[in-house]
Amino acid sequence: MTEARGSAGPNGETHTRHTPGTPCWVSLMVHGLTATQDFYGSLFGWEFQPGPQQLGPYSRALLDGHEVAGIGQLPSDRHLPIAWTPYLASDDVDLTAETVRLCGGTIGVGPLDAAEAGRLAIGSDPSGAVFGIWQTAEHYGTTLTGVPGTPAWNELLTFESASVAKFYETVFAYEEEPVVSADFDYVTLHIDGRPVAGIHGVGHALPRDQGPHWLTYFEVVDTDDAVDHVAHLGGHTLKAPHDTAHGRLAIVSDPEGARFALVHSPH
């Protein structure tokens, strides 16, 4: 968990094309698509519409008509970790995927076209953390930020930040801003001087059942109420609400075990 979260932008900011390297979409693959839609629909007020079917049944989550996230159904024979996956923008997903391989990462899916929406790949960094790459065609990704029910921040939890930060900087041309602290290993990744993601080295505090992974933060009106709602809907609290310099946060999981953070940011 971090106290080094950046700002996601003004209230209700809408986006079109994302600068390469910017987290532009978050997606979750689950076994029970309908039940998962019910969970997040109740928690965040999302509505759903069908999306590209290249990865199987897939729905886009909408908030007030704006696309904010995607939820898809895993094939019954795939036993992958259930986890929110951030997609990082690219102008050329094939070139980015090749760079991932050259820098010690792997590509597990794609690159492939998602109908007319765009082109994608799913890969992992040298520590094993999974992320997506998205090249826009008709689908620009998340088009609303800064309001409750939208992704607010993405953060990589890993063993130590230095080596994996070099990987992401090489692949996506981030600028790095380390947090100078003897006992806090954190790097903020910037594009054009703006913080877009974080890397938190937590050593042996990583969950043993998960290893290095990306964590998506979602903005909420009231963190404590949202945590109570998660429990009522069948989810779990992994880290209770607590105050930080960047708002009141908690880490929770949905009924299938996907971890995510809830944050009420000071505005």
Side-chain angles (χ1 to χ4, degrees):
M1 208 27 271
T2 179
E3 324 303 347
R5 208 178 56 78
S7 170
N11 282 355
E13 180 181 359
T14 57
H15 301 282
T16 52
R17 192 172 294 274
H18 293 264
T19 305
T22 306
C24 62
W25 188 244
V26 290
S27 188
L28 175 65
M29 301 297 287
V30 297
H31 295 292
L33 183 57
T34 301
T36 300
Q37 288 177 344
D38 291 344
F39 173 87
Y40 287 101
S42 180
L43 181 62
F44 293 137
W46 291 349
E47 297 176 338
F48 296 91
Q49 68 178 25
Q53 305 294 305
Q54 272 78 357
L55 298 177
Y58 191 85
S59 296
R60 291 180 181 150
L62 281 75
L63 186 67
D64 297 329
H66 296 280
E67 296 180 354
V68 294
I71 300 177
Q73 184 163 324
L74 283 168
S76 58
D77 59 344
R78 296 292 293 275
H79 299 287
L80 300 174
I82 307 296
W84 280 102
T85 301
Y87 281 72
L88 308 175
S90 170
D91 285 341
D92 185 337
V93 70
D94 294 78
L95 180 59
T96 301
E98 185 59 29
T99 307
V100 165
R101 293 190 186 98
L102 290 172
C103 292
T106 59
I107 297 295
V109 175
L112 57 85
D113 291 324
E116 289 76 40
R119 191 162 171 82
L120 68 86
I122 300 173
S124 55
D125 66 29
S127 74
V130 175
F131 63 95
I133 307 164
W134 180 256
Q135 179 181 336
T136 290
E138 293 183 358
H139 173 58
Y140 290 106
T142 302
T143 57
L144 182 69
T145 61
V147 298
T150 62
W153 185 244
N154 287 282
E155 176 178 289
L156 174 62
L157 300 178
T158 190
F159 295 110
E160 53 85 27
S161 68
S163 61
V164 76
K166 292 290 186 288
F167 166 83
Y168 285 99
E169 288 160 26
T170 303
V171 175
F172 293 103
Y174 295 122
E175 303 129 24
E176 175 185 324
E177 185 176 300
V179 173
V180 180
S181 171
D183 58 354
F184 189 62
D185 177 12
Y186 199 94
V187 170
T188 306
L189 301 175
H190 290 69
I191 292 175
D192 299 331
R194 183 173 63 93
V196 296
I199 299 177
H200 190 186
V202 297
H204 297 297
L206 272 174
R208 290 184 181 178
D209 63 339
Q210 191 157 24
H213 62 282
W214 281 91
L215 180 72
T216 297
Y217 290 58
F218 291 95
E219 187 72 36
V220 292
V221 174
D222 184 304
T223 306
D224 296 73
D225 283 353
V227 166
D228 289 344
H229 201 175
V230 166
H232 176 72
L233 294 168
H236 300 280
T237 301
L238 305 177
K239 188 165 187 178
H242 59 288
D243 292 317
T244 77
H246 300 281
R248 187 160 177 81
L249 11 129
I251 300 178
V252 297
S253 64
D254 68 21
E256 287 205 24
R259 303 166 192 258
F260 59 100
L262 302 168
V263 60
H264 175 68
S265 305
H267 292 300

